Amino acid sequence: GQQLNQSPQSMFIQEGEDVSMNCTSSSIFNTWLWYKQDPGEGPVLLIALYKAGELTSNGRLTAQFGITRKDSFLNISASIPSDVGIYFCAGQLGPYGQNFVFGPGTRLSVLP
Amino acid sequence: SAVISQKPSRDICQRGTSLTIQCQVDSQVTMMFWYRQQPGQSLTLIATANQGSEATYESGFVIDKFPISRPNLTFSTLTVSNMSPEDSSIYLCSVEGMQGAGGTEAFFGQGTRLTVV
């Protein structure tokens, strides 16, 4: 089946630093989503991308849908302690009703 | 966005027993999805549940082990049957919503953390 690769697997950064993580696939996706999961909680949607080349921001978060439709990145600017968590990318191949494929996640730790 | 409530939020169960997880959505949805997240892992789709028909299971998951009910457009249950320690995971209910630009987004409940002893 389709697989997503996420990098880095984990990262430790200082508070205030910017963060960049990406997601790649051998398949072409029509939708890319980025989620954050805190311990003991379900994933929470951060940003949704629907068009190749699309660049979308949500506060300190910025994500882009790659031109090839096989990749996406998420940037977090000026990190704060509450950014700690696991970030998942998810891709959807087709239209409404097709399930999303999830990447393995990037575990982010923010050091004060 | 949809609000999804899952019950129980966590449970510790004896091996060989079964647990039924409930998922309630605040709006009517056609399809509901059940995922499993093993410790330290990503999300894996178990099955897709449509109202009025049998659930569609992904490779590696079978109805006898994970029976699903979908009695109406706002509710579903997932049962983990004859549990073993390997079933210890977070189980997540999900629905899709249409975004204004015509795209879709997936929303999740808070998950059910299951520990089998």
Side-chain angles (χ1 to χ4, degrees), chain B residues 1-116:
Chain B
S1 65
V3 177
I4 304 168
S5 301
Q6 269 186 249
K7 288 196 297 188
S9 59
R10 58 177 61 230
D11 208 342
I12 301 173
C13 300
Q14 295 289 326
R15 67 178 68 198
T17 63
S18 298
L19 176 71
T20 295
I21 302 167
Q22 299 179 4
C23 180
Q24 180 76 51
V25 189
D26 68 343
S27 57
Q28 293 185 337
V29 293
T30 304
M31 301 174 77
M32 296 176 76
F33 303 89
W34 286 98
Y35 287 83
R36 182 175 73 181
Q37 186 177 26
Q38 294 178 302
Q41 302 295 313
S42 187
L43 285 72
T44 300
L45 182 67
I46 297 172
T48 303
N50 292 333
Q51 191 264 341
S53 63
E54 276 199 6
T56 302
Y57 289 82
E58 297 299 304
S59 175
F61 298 97
V62 295
I63 188 171
D64 290 345
K65 176 67 176 177
F66 298 101
I68 288 172
S69 78
R70 185 75 203 277
N72 58 52
L73 292 174
T74 63
F75 188 77
S76 178
T77 67
L78 170 76
T79 299
V80 186
S81 303
N82 188 24
M83 288 183 284
S84 67
E86 292 71 35
D87 294 320
S88 298
S89 292
I90 299 172
Y91 292 86
L92 293 150
C93 171
S94 174
V95 303
E96 281 188 20
M98 292 294 292
Q99 189 262 4
T104 59
E105 300 165 352
F107 301 98
F108 288 86
Q110 80 275 23
T112 296
R113 182 179 293 272
L114 170 62
T115 302
V116 183

Side-chain angles (χ1 to χ4, degrees), chain A residues 1-2 6 9 12 14 16 22 27-30 36-37 43 46 55 63 69 74 80-81 90-91 101 105 111:
Chain A
Q2 292 77 30
Q6 261 185 269
Q9 191 174 33
F12 293 80
Q14 292 291 138
N22 65 41
S27 301
I28 292 175
F29 288 98
N30 288 330
K36 178 175 183 275
Q37 187 176 29
L46 299 174
L55 183 71
R69 296 166 62 195
L74 174 71
I80 59 178
V101 177
L111 306 173

